[in-house]
Amino acid sequence: MSNARTYRVSNSEHNQSLTHRLSEWFDRQASTLFITPAVILILVFSIFPLVASLVIAFSRFRLRAGSYQVRFVGLKNFEKQFFGSEQFHFLGTFKGMSVLGYAVSAVAALLVLWWLYRYCRRQFWWLGFIGRLLSAAMGLGLVLLFSATLLSGHQFGTLGVTVFYVFAGCLIQFVIGLSLALLCSQPIRGKTFFRVVFFLPLMITPIGIGYAFRMLADTTKGPFSPIWQLAGLGDFSWSTDPWAARIFIVIGDSWQWIPFVFIILLAALENIPRDHHEAAQVDGASGWQIFREITWPQLVPVAATVMLIRLIEAFKLVDLPNIMTSGGPGIATESMSLHSYYAWRSLDLGQSSAIAYLLLFTTVIICVSFFNYVVVGRIRRNAA
Amino acid sequence: MPVHSRSVVNRLFEAPAIGRMAPASALIVYGLLAVWTAVVCFPLYWILITSLKSAADVNGGPVYLPWIDFTPSLHAWRELLLIDYEDTLRSYLNSIVIAVLSTLLCISVGSMAAYALARMTYRPKFGNILMFVLVMIAAFVVIGKLGVDWKLAVSVALAVWFLLVRSIGRHFTKSVGNADILFWMISQRILPPIVTVVPIYIMFQNLRMLDTHLALILTYAVVNLPIVVWLMYDFMNGIPLELEESAQLDGASRFRTFWEIILPLAKPGLAATTLLVLILAWNEYILAVFLTTSNAQTIPILVSAMNAGERGILWWSMCVVIIVMIIPVVFMAIVLQRFISKGVLLGAVKG
Amino acid sequence: MKKTTSFLSGVIGGTLLASVVGGSAVAAEFDGIEINILTRPGPVIAQRLVERGEEFTAMTGAKIRVNEVPFAELFQKILTDWATGTNSIDVGVFASGWAVELADGDLLEDLTPYVEADEKLQFDDIAPFFREFNQKIGGKTKLITIDGDFQMLYYRRDIFDEMGIAPPRNWEEYMAAAKATHGKDLNGDGEPDYGSCIFKKRNAQSYFAIMSVAAAFSQTQGTGQGFFFDTDTMKPLINNEAWIEALNVYKATGEYGPAEELNQDIGDTRALVQSGRCALAIDWGDIGPLSIDEAGAAIRDKMGATVMPGTSRVLDRETGKLVDCTPEICPHAVDGINISPFAAFGGWSGAINKKADDKVKAAAYAFLSYMNQPEQSNLDVTMGWTGYNPYRNSQLDDTANWVAAGFSEEFALNYLGAIKDSLNNPNMASDLRIPGTAQYQGNVLDRELARFLADEITAAEAVANIEEGWEEITEDFGRDSQREMYKSSLGITN
């Protein structure tokens, strides 16, 4: 540092003052300069497209010679998804609700009301209330959706499929990721080996995984076909059964993302001080007790955030269903991203953007709800 | 407990010492780990041997072991690496250039922002932001409805906003804070790429930048920026303040502090974040499909190009491409794994 | 070194090219010109373009660069590249049906003057359907065909002869034959094989198969009648018994097919056919050349080809019901069976970007013409891996090239006969060629078909949904303009 200064002093006076003034100016503007590149990048590449996409979602968009044609159509694109000819595709087929469906919806409605009531009684802030109202509406809407479709024997659309992928996928990834992390946190040999090997699936491109799992799942030419035949399932193909196909996609997605959950949870586990643990062991506590009383509470904040990241990414699932089943059989495995992608591909950009916006809306509400009620709640409770 | 009174069964289920496992649980633990190793490795193994199979071996039914079940051949490897090497090499180099440069850009911009948010205070006026949004919407309407040149409209809009900020900006009282900015940046990750891809396409088209490396580099950098800010923010927060303060007392500028003190300290975090961002940029498909035609085509597109439609999927060639794709990342991961394992990502995630 | 090459190419190009573009060429006319072609990934279609491109470069000096994008993104790419004025692509090689949308946006160079000045092309040798319908939009030639596409029925001649079954002429016979052969070991590997293989995967090419089936039920009066829309009202001709019957037939064939047929694309089906596991299959012309391929050893000289199955009950457009064929109702029927070979996809064709540089356009045309000329194409169509199928009469009349490629004389006659029967059928059905085709077919039809096949909806619901979806698209694009485009695509000019 002092060397640099002597060097500068030895330069001409004028020059010194200029550089000096310049560096001072830079220093004063440091706070702006540090953050501006990121803000500009996000504004140009995220916010501008977001707004432009919104415009397209409210219009019919056609490419013509030399330019494009935008015709404003109001809410038509959204209307089509909710009430029009795409209703079955986005929401599902509605043909009356079963008794079970009514029962489940009623219970859900009561629970939601009670939850809101409790919030109003305890503390009330209008912004918080609006947020809770939105979450409640989303939650209730999804329950109603599944009640009217799944529980009433009808088919649900891409919204339901996406929600299934997200929750089933995240649950599996969390359970297996945590189990692996717990196993690896035991005093074992070759920890580095396992860590590197378990990390591998994350490095493969998702489309590669899609194709690889399509090979593996092939019941006539795949590696498991002899087992499949032995089990007497030679005539059954996973790809022609809606639930089997969906589950297969969740398996592929999980295979790729378990490493992510695993690696972070393992790090969290290793960060927990060993002394409590060992003290408990000396006291003769069982493994389960140690986990519940000592490990789990310390793990919760990390786990909640990891799952938040996964939640955000899971909503974007598109490569796997596109490659493994092309959204089939029927529309059974089509996620919302894929739905939007297919609309784009047939040049229906208005629909494509409308669906994308609906996806964004769903993702934001679910992720923010999860963040506010689970992540923040847990951390607060933990801190208390 | 005296040693001689322990039965065999007891010894099987009890740890011989604190910090070691009982034989029975060791068996279970290693067993489960082995099972998962198989789950992870089998698809990889299948990809590897498929790349050595001929069409007949793939279509005829499962064969498992090279030299025993089938005769391995390097035909797919030869085709991609010796005969058609131009295409492969071009995609490969494109991928390397794009992934590396976008990661560098993303990491530098992102960690600067993360540092700024962790150490400096921002109080942008709520009103100013609102005005910015309104002015921009007005610009869009003008561009869309009246067909005004977008460069002109955007410049005018920016100038108007600037004037507004200077004139009435100081009357606003409500302002947002660092936490809001952080949340805003992170929330960009929620955007599904499909929402933004069409406007981005049109934007690059207007800038004559379609099918260039720069287009993908910028796009990937932005898409991954939220992750960097998120992970690095907490990491920066974890660095003790005293070091910087003493540097600042010595008269070092913010930039120098950042460069000479913060970055070296943040190395493990940077390494882990870099690896993650690199993997994401390396494997990205949808955006690459939209934004490239031939010059900047990346290697994931080569993977899907091996689906030759009515001639079926060229599984063998596809597997070669997948393997070729994994190799550099695995290498990187092994180099950087000690950083990842040190719980670096953890700091961020603790929230 | 470089000098020699360019000198050589100048000499060769000068002599050869003089004839390529109507005698107007000078030595190495296209030196320094680069032509960017965009098509789907090779080896199919693209690889032969690359090879012929190298020859062309040697002749004329024009450099041919073949760029490839995944099939599903191909049309998007070309349209956006040309419509937004990016113009990084000079020539698109794609399905002829897609061209209408491009022509509608005035993005395609009119090739009529080029064709008129080009003797080497032998325009009249091109089969009438391709010459008059497929290459033309609104009466102007805008495309150069390099591949002739329509679907045919393939059967295992050895098995059928052995069992004494005649090649099916209608769908009842098809189902009977499929039933009789299903579960038998057809390739001698000891495992039961399939009676019928028809690709049914969603978001792939299954909608071509359903249209192939439906064509015979709905179109009776010749190519100009069309079978997608009513030419007066532009109402879809979908919500009727013809399509319901076609859907049911298509689904019923699955009973005699592989268990995972719903997830099988044309490529998967072809692999099965090639390994000898299918008694019956619907496919484009490709099976012929593929059967003499190395991978097709199991079916070499064992395949037979015939026109698509027909039907004796056809659609009455007034009532939407099926009625029995009479000579008035089905003027083109043979033995009371109405046949309508469907030009699915229309074949890979080249089109030139209107905004390209004039010199580039001339060079690009010369190259497309070079691909199409009998001298080159008559050889290319005999090779399975090129993906090119016959579209010229001279390709069908002479078996010599085919025998030289490895066909037996008997199979060559059978195969070419089936193609001739299809191509010269006056009732050949044209693929949909109006703006929004991708939405009509790739989106609505494909999705409803997939849902029907997956038992999510009934055939009646499927056709009702397709009608509704198509009406919406028509409204979006404008009913009147769509009707005019549709009529002009069928050659109706009034």
Side-chain angles (χ1 to χ4, degrees):
Chain A
M1 188 98 60
S2 59
N3 276 347
R5 253 183 217 161
T6 12
Y7 174 72
R8 262 195 230 138
V9 170
S10 70
N11 268 303
S12 83
E13 193 131 298
H14 173 74
N15 207 358
Q16 189 265 343
S17 71
L18 188 72
T19 21
H20 191 73
R21 266 178 12 221
L22 211 60
S23 81
E24 255 191 1
W25 182 84
F26 267 116
D27 211 28
R28 256 185 287 120
Q29 301 298 323
S31 65
T32 319
L33 291 172
F34 263 99
I35 204 160
T36 312
V39 172
I40 287 181
L41 273 181
I42 290 179
L43 277 180
V44 175
F45 290 91
S46 264
I47 304 300
F48 156 70
L50 198 61
V51 177
S53 218
L54 191 64
V55 174
I56 297 176
F58 286 106
S59 41
R60 300 256 91 214
F61 186 95
R62 270 184 86 185
L63 291 158
R64 306 290 296 203
S67 70
Y68 18 85
Q69 210 180 48
V70 183
R71 186 159 52 86
F72 187 71
V73 293
L75 282 168
K76 222 170 129 193
N77 289 329
F78 292 94
E79 211 180 286
K80 199 168 159 185
Q81 299 300 328
F82 280 103
F83 310 106
S85 62
E86 288 273 311
Q87 186 193 53
F88 75 89
H89 196 180
F90 173 61
L91 292 176
T93 317
F94 300 112
K95 282 181 194 158
M97 211 189 276
S98 67
V99 182
L100 181 63
Y102 275 118
V104 171
S105 319
V107 171
L110 285 176
L111 278 175
V112 163
L113 280 177
W114 177 72
W115 179 64
L116 284 175
Y117 170 76
R118 208 183 55 158
Y119 174 72
C120 294
R121 284 292 303 273
R122 283 200 187 156
Q123 81 258 53
F124 185 86
W125 182 47
W126 63 275
L127 217 55
F129 183 70
I130 289 176
R132 274 168 178 75
L133 215 54
L134 274 175
S135 313
M138 174 64 74
L140 199 58
L142 286 176
V143 171
L144 272 175
L145 179 71
F146 281 113
S147 303
T149 53
L150 183 66
L151 297 180
S152 308
H154 305 303
Q155 208 198 4
F156 51 83
T158 52
L159 176 62
V161 174
T162 309
V163 170
F164 170 74
Y165 286 155
V166 168
F167 287 104
C170 287
L171 189 70
I172 291 176
Q173 286 154 36
F174 180 69
V175 170
I176 298 185
L178 177 63
S179 319
L180 289 175
L182 284 171
L183 285 177
C184 265
S185 71
Q186 302 299 316
I188 53 164
R189 287 159 195 272
K191 211 176 267 191
T192 311
F193 167 79
F194 287 118
R195 207 162 4 214
V196 170
V197 168
F198 290 178
F199 196 61
L200 283 177
L202 199 59
M203 298 178 210
I204 305 173
T205 181
I207 45 168
I209 291 181
Y211 281 113
F213 271 76
R214 207 166 127 188
M215 272 196 282
L216 296 176
D218 194 314
T219 46
T220 50
K221 298 177 304 215
F224 301 114
S225 63
I227 302 172
W228 207 250
Q229 309 285 349
L230 265 184
L233 290 166
D235 284 339
F236 171 82
S237 166
W238 63 273
S239 61
T240 53
D241 179 78
W243 280 106
R246 283 177 199 136
I247 287 167
F248 235 105
I249 286 167
V250 169
I251 291 176
D253 186 49
S254 300
W255 187 78
Q256 170 153 47
W257 283 103
I258 283 171
F260 179 76
V261 180
F262 157 78
I263 216 90
I264 292 181
L265 288 184
L266 177 59
L269 281 174
E270 289 183 337
N271 240 28
I272 296 172
R274 300 289 302 175
D275 35 357
H276 291 286
H277 194 155
E278 277 163 17
Q281 230 169 4
V282 172
D283 287 349
S286 74
W288 170 244
Q289 277 173 321
I290 294 174
F291 175 74
R292 217 188 51 190
E293 304 289 334
I294 299 170
T295 317
W296 179 244
Q298 305 213 43
L299 209 57
V300 162
V302 180
T305 319
V306 167
M307 287 332 284
L308 180 64
I309 299 180
R310 271 309 299 141
L311 215 55
I312 290 174
E313 300 295 317
F315 272 104
K316 302 177 189 171
L317 184 69
V318 57
D319 291 327
L320 283 182
N322 185 21
I323 281 152
M324 291 173 71
T325 58
S326 299
I331 52 163
T333 54
E334 193 172 330
S335 67
M336 280 173 80
S337 271
L338 196 58
H339 187 176
S340 168
Y341 176 62
Y342 287 161
W344 168 78
R345 229 169 53 179
S346 64
L347 291 168
D348 200 345
L349 298 187
Q351 285 293 317
S352 176
S353 295
I355 298 158
Y357 252 90
L358 291 170
L359 173 59
L360 180 63
F361 194 67
T362 316
T363 314
V364 167
I365 292 191
I366 292 181
C367 289
V368 171
S369 305
F370 181 83
F371 183 76
N372 278 333
Y373 315 136
V374 180
V375 180
V376 173
R378 288 282 179 182
I379 291 169
R380 213 176 282 147
R381 224 165 299 158
N382 242 48
Chain B
M1 189 184 288
V3 175
H4 55 87
S5 73
R6 289 175 68 182
S7 70
V8 177
V9 178
N10 263 346
R11 250 183 274 172
L12 203 57
F13 289 99
E14 257 170 37
I18 297 281
R20 290 183 60 192
M21 280 184 292
S25 37
L27 196 71
I28 294 170
V29 166
Y30 282 111
L32 288 173
L33 286 173
V35 167
W36 192 256
T37 308
V39 169
V40 167
C41 291
F42 186 74
L44 295 169
Y45 170 74
W46 196 254
I47 291 173
L48 181 67
I49 62 164
T50 304
S51 78
L52 302 172
K53 286 180 184 175
S54 67
D57 288 330
V58 173
N59 291 328
V63 283
Y64 303 88
L65 302 164
W67 291 289
I68 297 169
D69 268 347
F70 68 99
T71 327
S73 91
L74 287 171
H75 69 108
W77 289 87
R78 211 175 297 129
E79 202 171 291
L80 275 159
L81 301 182
L82 296 177
I83 301 166
D84 268 349
Y85 72 95
E86 271 182 41
D87 269 359
T88 319
L89 193 67
R90 189 172 60 175
S91 308
Y92 208 70
L93 289 178
N94 283 341
S95 264
I96 290 177
V97 168
I98 289 167
V100 168
L101 290 184
S102 81
T103 304
L104 278 180
L105 179 66
C106 186
I107 290 284
S108 46
V109 170
S111 48
M112 269 166 70
Y115 172 70
L117 286 172
R119 288 291 193 266
M120 303 165 191
T121 324
Y122 292 91
R123 297 236 145 276
K125 298 263 170 63
F126 190 69
N128 287 346
I129 296 171
L130 196 69
M131 284 196 308
F132 181 80
V133 173
L134 290 176
V135 164
M136 278 299 148
I137 288 176
F140 274 124
V141 171
V142 169
I143 295 168
K145 285 273 169 191
L146 306 176
V148 176
D149 182 43
W150 65 271
K151 284 170 228 145
L152 184 73
V154 170
S155 327
V156 170
L158 281 178
V160 168
W161 177 65
F162 195 69
L163 286 176
L164 284 175
V165 169
R166 281 287 149 133
S167 52
I168 55 172
R170 72 179 85 104
H171 300 299
F172 297 116
T173 46
K174 279 246 176 202
S175 61
V176 295
N178 284 20
D180 300 297
I181 300 176
L182 184 68
F183 181 78
W184 173 70
M185 285 190 172
I186 292 171
S187 70
Q188 297 307 309
R189 188 69 197 170
I190 297 179
L191 283 185
I194 207 92
V195 185
T196 54
V197 83
V198 174
I200 287 183
Y201 179 91
I202 293 169
M203 181 168 72
F204 279 124
Q205 190 272 320
N206 265 312
L207 298 169
R208 308 266 151 195
M209 272 169 60
L210 279 180
D211 200 19
T212 60
H213 294 92
L214 189 59
L216 274 189
I217 291 171
L218 286 172
T219 316
Y220 286 172
V222 177
V223 167
N224 294 329
L225 195 60
I227 296 186
V228 177
V229 174
W230 191 348
L231 295 180
M232 291 312 292
Y233 172 78
D234 285 277
F235 201 83
M236 302 272 184
N237 251 348
I239 295 172
L241 209 55
E242 296 80 42
L243 289 168
E244 281 166 77
E245 279 168 352
S246 65
Q248 256 153 12
L249 283 181
D250 280 353
S253 70
R254 277 284 189 191
F255 292 96
R256 186 177 287 205
T257 320
F258 179 66
W259 189 250
E260 287 178 0
I261 295 174
I262 297 297
L263 279 188
L265 282 173
K267 227 188 253 162
L270 280 175
T273 315
T274 305
L275 182 66
L276 197 64
V277 171
L278 198 69
I279 291 174
L280 288 171
W282 181 255
N283 289 335
E284 207 285 333
Y285 176 70
I286 288 266
L287 289 166
V289 164
F290 274 85
L291 299 179
T292 66
T293 332
S294 61
N295 290 327
Q297 215 164 57
T298 55
I299 201 151
I301 295 181
L302 201 61
V303 175
S304 80
M306 294 306 157
N307 181 352
E310 59 267 43
R311 278 312 131 79
I313 298 168
L314 308 173
W315 292 112
W316 36 95
S317 308
M318 183 180 282
C319 289
V320 173
V321 182
I322 295 175
I323 293 169
V324 168
M325 266 191 87
I326 305 175
I327 290 169
V329 199
V330 170
F331 181 72
M332 287 275 304
I334 290 173
V335 172
L336 296 180
Q337 82 89 21
R338 70 198 169 90
F339 292 115
I340 297 167
S341 61
K342 289 247 171 71
V344 167
L345 294 173
L346 185 67
V349 162
K350 266 177 165 170
Chain C
M1 178 66 205
K2 205 181 170 199
K3 231 174 197 167
T4 338
T5 328
S6 70
F7 172 73
L8 263 181
S9 70
V11 171
I12 300 170
T15 42
L16 284 177
L17 205 88
S19 43
V20 172
V21 269
S24 64
V26 291
E29 182 185 1
F30 303 131
D31 243 347
I33 289 178
E34 190 180 271
I35 304 170
N36 271 297
I37 298 181
L38 190 70
T39 190
R40 51 83 49 78
V44 184
I45 309 297
Q47 184 59 33
R48 198 58 176 167
L49 285 169
V50 173
E51 291 174 4
R52 291 287 186 200
E54 279 160 11
E55 294 170 20
F56 188 75
T57 309
M59 276 165 41
T60 66
K63 195 174 179 317
I64 305 288
R65 188 154 164 212
V66 179
N67 303 296
E68 301 165 10
V69 290
F71 176 75
E73 278 85 29
L74 180 56
F75 180 52
Q76 272 293 337
K77 278 271 137 160
I78 292 174
L79 181 64
T80 34
D81 187 85
W82 292 359
T84 58
T86 314
N87 293 329
S88 63
I89 301 301
D90 307 310
V91 173
V93 173
F94 48 79
S96 68
W98 301 349
V100 181
E101 185 136 8
L102 298 167
D104 183 40
D106 197 23
L107 300 166
L108 297 185
E109 176 76 358
D110 180 10
L111 303 178
T112 317
Y114 297 79
V115 170
E116 278 166 3
D118 186 355
E119 283 162 23
K120 201 110 196 250
L121 187 66
Q122 299 188 23
F123 196 58
D124 291 334
D125 179 40
I126 301 172
F129 174 80
F130 289 99
R131 193 177 62 219
E132 298 306 325
F133 288 102
N134 218 37
Q135 297 197 139
K136 286 188 179 173
I137 294 164
K140 301 230 167 74
T141 301
K142 300 237 164 149
L143 296 156
I144 299 294
T145 305
I146 59 168
D147 161 43
D149 269 350
F150 48 88
Q151 296 189 322
M152 296 194 293
L153 172 64
Y154 294 89
Y155 57 95
R156 283 289 292 279
R157 206 152 29 97
D158 56 332
I159 306 287
F160 276 49
D161 285 350
E162 192 183 299
M163 297 177 66
I165 310 174
R169 293 172 305 162
N170 58 27
W171 287 104
E172 290 79 34
E173 289 179 15
Y174 182 97
M175 298 306 277
K179 190 176 181 190
T181 47
H182 187 61
K184 288 206 162 26
D185 178 17
L186 304 175
N187 57 358
D189 65 354
E191 279 183 43
D193 295 315
Y194 314 114
S196 155
C197 299
I198 307 181
F199 42 97
K200 296 194 168 67
K201 188 177 171 73
R202 178 175 176 209
N203 208 345
Q205 319 214 9
S206 59
Y207 57 89
F208 288 122
I210 185 64
M211 292 188 284
S212 247
V213 177
F217 287 101
S218 342
Q219 179 180 304
T220 54
Q221 305 291 324
T223 307
Q225 190 190 18
F227 75 107
F228 291 105
F229 294 97
D230 184 318
T231 46
D232 293 327
T233 59
M234 203 58 194
K235 287 267 178 223
L237 290 169
I238 295 287
N239 197 350
N240 53 43
E241 284 187 0
W243 276 83
I244 292 180
E245 183 62 21
L247 284 168
N248 287 329
V249 163
Y250 185 43
K251 189 181 199 170
T253 62
E255 210 176 304
Y256 309 115
E260 52 196 35
E261 201 165 58
L262 280 194
N263 205 26
Q264 284 184 334
D265 194 5
I266 176 84
D268 304 299
T269 314
R270 275 186 190 159
L272 287 174
V273 172
Q274 272 197 313
S275 49
R277 304 202 62 184
C278 305
L280 284 157
I282 303 284
D283 205 317
W284 281 270
D286 301 66
I287 295 290
L290 285 178
S291 69
I292 56 166
D293 212 52
E294 199 185 331
I299 53 164
R300 188 168 187 137
D301 270 334
K302 289 178 183 165
M303 295 305 287
T306 181
V307 289
M308 279 293 293
T311 169
S312 48
R313 287 178 60 75
V314 297
L315 176 67
D316 176 2
R317 298 194 176 190
E318 299 286 304
T319 60
K321 305 253 184 267
L322 289 176
V323 294
D324 285 327
C325 256
T326 64
E328 294 77 48
I329 297 173
C330 314
H332 305 294
V334 182
D335 299 337
I337 295 172
N338 182 55
I339 293 166
S340 183
F342 176 59
F345 196 68
W348 290 87
S349 317
I352 300 176
N353 184 358
K354 194 172 188 180
K355 296 279 163 49
D357 190 69
D358 278 342
K359 270 194 176 163
V360 173
K361 282 196 279 200
Y365 174 76
F367 177 64
L368 288 178
S369 166
Y370 181 71
M371 293 295 300
N372 181 291
Q373 288 159 18
E375 233 169 274
Q376 281 69 246
S377 63
N378 286 11
L379 180 65
D380 293 348
V381 293
T382 63
M383 292 184 282
W385 61 265
T386 60
Y388 301 163
N389 296 321
Y391 53 89
R392 279 176 175 275
N393 284 322
S394 60
Q395 290 162 352
L396 306 171
D397 293 335
D398 186 7
T399 53
N401 272 333
W402 300 90
V403 172
F407 279 63
S408 70
E409 183 74 30
E410 192 194 357
F411 179 50
L413 282 174
N414 166 296
Y415 173 70
L416 298 176
I419 294 177
K420 250 189 258 180
D421 286 350
S422 306
L423 271 186
N424 294 319
N425 192 315
N427 196 30
M428 192 159 186
S430 174
D431 204 346
L432 186 60
R433 300 166 75 218
I434 58 176
T437 297
Q439 282 176 51
Y440 287 111
Q441 295 182 344
N443 224 0
V444 176
L445 176 60
D446 183 59
R447 190 187 62 219
E448 295 306 322
L449 175 63
R451 295 177 72 211
F452 167 69
L453 290 176
D455 286 327
E456 287 173 19
I457 49 175
T458 65
E461 284 170 327
V463 292
N465 290 347
I466 297 170
E467 184 182 35
E468 188 187 354
W470 281 22
E471 282 284 87
E472 278 182 0
I473 300 167
T474 305
E475 286 299 331
D476 272 352
F477 280 87
R479 184 173 297 274
D480 290 335
S481 71
Q482 288 295 82
R483 187 180 58 224
E484 290 317 306
M485 294 299 291
Y486 184 60
K487 280 163 87 171
S488 89
S489 82
L490 293 172
I492 304 172
T493 46
N494 59 337

